[in-house]
Amino acid sequence: MYVAVKGGEQAIDNAHAWLAESRRGDVAIPELSVAQIREQMALAVGRVMAEGSLYDADLAALAIKQARGDLIEAIFLIRAYRTTLPRFGASRPVDTGAMAAIRRISATYKDLPGGQVLGPTFDYTHRLLDFALAAEGEAPVAPQAAPVGPVPRVTGFLDREGLIEPEPACDDPPPDLTREPLDLPAGRALRLQSLARGDEGFLLGLAYSSQRGFGRTHPFVGELRIGEVMVEVEIPELGLCVAIGAITLTECETVNQFTGSKTQPAQFTRGYGLVMGQSERKAIAMSLVDRALRWQELGEEDSGAPVQDQEFVLMHADNIQATGFLEHIKLPHYVDFQSELELVRRLRASAAQEAAE
Amino acid sequence: MSDYNFAYLDEATKRMIRRAILKAVAVPGYQVPFASREMPMPYGWGTGGVQLTAACLTPEDRLKVIDQGADDTTNAVSIRKFFQRTAGVAVTERTREATIIQTRHRIPEAPLTEGQILVYQVPIPEPLRFLEPRETETRRMHALAEYGLMHVKLYEDIARNGEIATAYAYPVKVQGRYVMDPSPIPKFDNPKLSDCAALQLFGAGREQRIYALPPHTQVVSLDFDDHPFVAAKAPHACDLCGDAASYLDEVITDDAGGRMFVCSDTDHCATHRATGHAGRLGGTEGAAA
């Protein structure tokens, strides 16, 4: 019995009601508050802010709640919200050198001015399920130390000796990926912008592939720092800069194998990663991918590795674009499918006819 | 109504899109890059079409939204509802009554008229994409009108299968210049692209491209003299309205090989039945097989 498909509107409303009910889960279990997610799922909140390109922990936590913990769905909610916001202006470039670091490590020096500050890291935890967390109880209080002040950059030490390629300051206004269509080939500023909001998993896979030989970059983590930086805005009417808040950033600077020639002595090269929130994995991956994408300007060979191919990397790094296009194939395609059905039937019929003749 | 601007997008964004549309109309078939915005529906759900519709809508417009030719498919319902909520415009299921029609995968059966705008949702705007994955390359190929690769592909189809094995998103040449992807419409619809009285706009949100066919543009489906283009459809008549000339969906009715064919264009089918026509299974809505 064929019944013409009608009532799509009612079906959609009902599906949304079911979704809302499923999101809440068992009502006998207390509901999560946005503040609980913000405080206790901080790394998820950070990822949603970074890839959503909007620094607002409360909105990110709300998005995670609404998305039932699906982080890409939460990132999508933030992106769709972000695009409706008016733009009042741009901040001054943030100074990560003046960062109040909660974590700052270098893999290239055993000790260095400012010291190795481990901070809240998983690095040396034993990955044993902590069943004490299943029982409710207060977390132990960590011992306190004086906050770390601004610490010098590792790349700065190398720079003073001329051992690393210089990174001259530049006052050009950075391009804006969200206001101009991506134009290829893209300069480094645009590439970094794209990578900063790119999918963590995609960058991780690319960076890993470069470590395994598909576009080798041989990086050392010169420095990894996490902490708050001030965001300052210039108010032309007042003629001064006003701090409007602080944001947490993760910054990774890699020191990579050198280039050099008879005329130019050998020098280390740089890879750079900067991510909103606390995300070392993403920042390190980003710095490896950044470095790999610089093969041309550094006179390296194109080994044909995916990580060296900026069109491949930039066109596929955005998880909202990727998941949209991937998942859209579940939408109705019966018109197209019908046309292929007819084609395949026709081709088979003419093949059968030819075989019979 | 809502806190959002008329038709959701802010006016500056609409202006940016309208500029891209004007350029697209001025260079028919050329893909104009535009700064596509993140929309509140996913990429792949018609964000390019939605942005075009948002940029074209006026409060006096009457909007029709179809997906697979039908007004009642879920995504068509969802997009129509979006503009009812954000623009408060009148909506219709009648092709003739609509001033703007947003479509996915079909061109309505009823001829379009002057003053109408047909907005297509486009997944991959680049007709050369599956021959050359790099945008940097395909842009150059368009600039030089270097379309040999496409003809080789069509020729290989014939060599392998005896005919051009492309059933939808069949490539066309616009006004003798640009090769264009008409979006994944069945090739049955291709002849309607040419000399159409309505303005046809194509929007690819994720790929950030807009292109257009101004009214009465000449659009030719690519073919060879000895293998001319044929607009194909299922060799049946609609089982509900009896029309033998409209594009049909095949519906499986049981697991013993039973099937029926119905018009993909629901408005066309309903209009045909309302004028006294009936197919094999009668003309009533939801007729049983």
Side-chain angles (χ1 to χ4, degrees):
Chain A
M1 171 112 167
Y2 169 70
V3 178
V5 189
K6 285 274 177 196
E9 194 154 349
Q10 191 60 47
I12 291 173
D13 288 344
N14 292 345
H16 291 173
W18 195 354
L19 172 68
E21 194 182 298
S22 303
R23 175 190 304 130
R24 176 60 182 88
D26 185 350
V27 290
I29 309 289
E31 189 180 357
L32 271 175
S33 72
V34 167
Q36 282 171 339
I37 297 171
R38 186 193 65 219
E39 295 302 315
Q40 296 173 44
M41 295 284 143
L43 301 189
V45 167
R47 180 172 175 195
V48 171
M49 294 194 298
E51 292 170 37
S53 302
L54 183 71
Y55 198 95
D56 189 316
D58 287 305
L59 288 180
L62 172 63
I64 290 169
K65 178 173 177 173
Q66 188 178 332
R68 308 178 66 190
D70 178 340
L71 295 189
I72 291 186
E73 180 66 25
I75 291 161
F76 182 21
L77 287 167
I78 291 299
R79 291 269 192 97
Y81 176 77
R82 175 193 196 275
T83 194
T84 66
L85 299 176
R87 299 192 158 210
F88 299 117
S91 74
R92 300 272 313 138
V94 294
D95 181 5
T96 53
M99 174 185 282
I102 57 167
R103 174 163 165 80
R104 185 272 196 142
I105 53 166
S106 169
T108 51
Y109 294 99
K110 181 169 184 179
D111 200 6
L112 65 169
Q116 305 268 15
V117 180
L118 295 186
T121 176
F122 291 122
D123 282 359
Y124 312 103
T125 62
H126 295 147
R127 269 56 167 210
L128 304 170
L129 275 177
D130 182 357
F131 293 103
L133 287 176
E136 282 166 54
E138 288 302 309
V141 178
Q144 296 281 317
V148 183
V151 288
R153 292 173 181 287
V154 169
T155 49
F157 307 143
L158 295 167
D159 205 16
R160 263 197 298 283
E161 273 188 79
L163 292 172
I164 195 164
E165 55 167 332
E167 195 78 90
C170 170
D171 284 330
D172 293 346
D176 187 345
L177 192 65
T178 66
R179 283 296 183 270
E180 293 294 328
L182 180 64
D183 196 15
L184 297 168
R188 192 176 179 203
L190 192 58
R191 296 200 301 258
L192 288 170
Q193 191 179 116
S194 168
L195 297 178
R197 70 199 311 247
D199 183 71
E200 179 178 312
F202 183 72
L203 295 193
L204 171 64
L206 283 172
Y208 177 48
S209 74
S210 81
Q211 287 183 291
R212 290 197 62 262
F214 287 78
R216 193 160 167 70
T217 57
H218 204 285
F220 295 102
V221 172
E223 184 173 340
L224 180 74
R225 51 171 72 191
I226 304 172
E228 286 197 331
V229 296
M230 295 302 286
V231 178
E232 295 177 332
V233 173
E234 233 163 279
I235 312 286
E237 291 86 345
L238 303 177
L240 51 84
C241 265
V242 176
I244 58 166
I247 62 174
T248 295
L249 295 175
T250 304
E251 182 185 57
C252 178
E253 290 187 278
T254 55
V255 177
N256 297 261
Q257 224 157 38
F258 37 83
T259 54
S261 63
K262 281 210 169 111
T263 52
Q264 262 203 313
Q267 246 183 348
F268 289 111
T269 57
R270 300 172 188 248
Y272 187 73
L274 184 71
V275 185
M276 291 200 289
Q278 178 172 349
S279 180
E280 297 173 34
R281 183 184 303 122
K282 168 100 181 256
I284 298 169
M286 179 174 167
S287 61
L288 264 63
V289 174
D290 168 53
R291 175 60 185 80
L293 287 172
R294 299 181 60 213
W295 64 273
Q296 227 158 357
E297 63 174 290
L298 296 171
E300 294 170 341
E301 245 179 76
D302 177 10
S303 67
V307 72
Q308 289 182 307
D309 184 336
Q310 67 156 278
E311 184 157 356
F312 180 84
V313 173
L314 301 184
M315 296 298 268
H316 304 117
D318 190 295
N319 52 24
I320 302 308
Q321 292 178 350
T323 201
F325 196 53
L326 178 94
E327 293 195 52
H328 105 281
I329 61 174
K330 67 194 169 187
L331 291 179
H333 282 76
Y334 33 81
V335 162
D336 303 346
F337 185 67
Q338 184 64 38
S339 65
E340 291 222 317
L341 261 182
E342 292 305 326
L343 176 66
V344 172
R345 279 180 183 145
R346 201 164 56 244
L347 295 177
R348 289 179 64 84
S350 57
Q353 199 179 350
E354 269 170 40
E357 277 164 10
Chain B
M1 276 287 291
S2 61
D3 305 329
Y4 292 107
N5 193 35
F6 176 78
Y8 183 76
L9 294 175
D10 60 279
E11 293 304 315
T13 299
K14 286 190 204 170
R15 188 189 308 148
M16 175 272 293
I17 295 170
R18 287 177 193 139
R19 281 179 176 155
I21 292 173
L22 288 175
K23 183 166 180 183
V25 167
V27 193
Y30 170 75
Q31 300 167 52
V32 181
F34 82 113
S36 177
R37 298 290 192 256
E38 268 120 354
M39 299 301 287
M41 58 277 286
Y43 289 116
W45 266 243
T47 54
V50 166
Q51 290 178 77
L52 284 174
T53 299
C56 291
L57 270 181
T58 65
E60 295 75 37
D61 272 310
R62 187 178 295 274
L63 178 69
K64 173 181 165 80
V65 183
I66 50 174
D67 184 348
Q68 314 294 303
D71 298 89
D72 52 18
T73 35
T74 42
N75 200 36
V77 168
S78 166
I79 291 172
R80 184 165 58 238
K81 214 169 161 183
F82 175 73
F83 283 115
Q84 279 177 292
R85 186 193 300 168
T86 59
V89 291
V91 296
T92 181
E93 297 193 357
R94 295 291 184 86
T95 300
R96 283 170 229 277
E97 289 173 8
T99 55
I100 298 182
I101 303 171
Q102 181 168 331
T103 182
R104 178 167 171 262
H105 296 188
R106 275 309 311 274
I107 299 177
E109 304 286 358
L112 301 178
T113 53
E114 247 152 67
Q116 285 185 311
I117 301 176
L118 183 60
V119 173
Y120 296 77
Q121 302 172 197
V122 181
I124 302 273
E126 180 48 71
L128 307 170
R129 181 60 67 238
F130 298 108
L131 306 173
E132 168 53 61
R134 283 170 200 286
E135 178 69 9
T136 38
E137 269 303 303
T138 52
R139 282 187 81 75
R140 196 183 58 81
M141 289 161 77
H142 282 295
L144 302 173
E146 197 183 284
Y147 296 127
L149 206 55
M150 178 63 92
H151 287 102
V152 169
K153 190 259 172 198
L154 299 179
Y155 168 76
E156 284 178 347
D157 267 8
I158 294 170
R160 197 167 294 132
N161 299 304
E163 64 173 281
I164 293 171
T166 298
Y168 61 90
Y170 191 102
V172 296
K173 195 165 214 177
V174 178
Q175 207 72 36
R177 176 58 178 89
Y178 286 101
V179 166
M180 183 191 100
D181 181 311
S183 89
I185 55 173
K187 69 176 184 174
F188 172 83
D189 281 339
N190 270 26
K192 296 181 214 156
L193 292 162
S194 193
D195 197 29
C196 176
L199 169 63
Q200 301 176 82
L201 301 177
F202 299 78
R206 186 181 43 78
E207 297 280 339
Q208 308 190 310
R209 296 291 184 271
I210 287 171
Y211 52 103
L213 297 172
H216 304 293
T217 302
Q218 193 206 7
V219 180
V220 177
S221 300
L222 300 183
D223 63 359
F224 297 103
D225 290 344
D226 52 347
H227 281 89
F229 172 84
V230 182
K233 65 172 283 258
H236 299 276
C238 173
D239 284 327
L240 295 182
C241 79
D243 191 348
S246 71
Y247 191 78
L248 301 173
D249 287 338
E250 182 173 331
V251 180
I252 309 284
T253 51
D254 55 40
D255 58 3
R259 67 196 63 211
M260 65 183 291
F261 290 89
V262 293
C263 289
S264 117
D265 185 332
T266 47
D267 172 55
H268 174 77
C269 196
T271 309
H272 207 57
R273 275 176 285 157
T275 51
H277 295 85
R280 184 171 65 92
L281 301 172
T284 49
E285 185 88 358

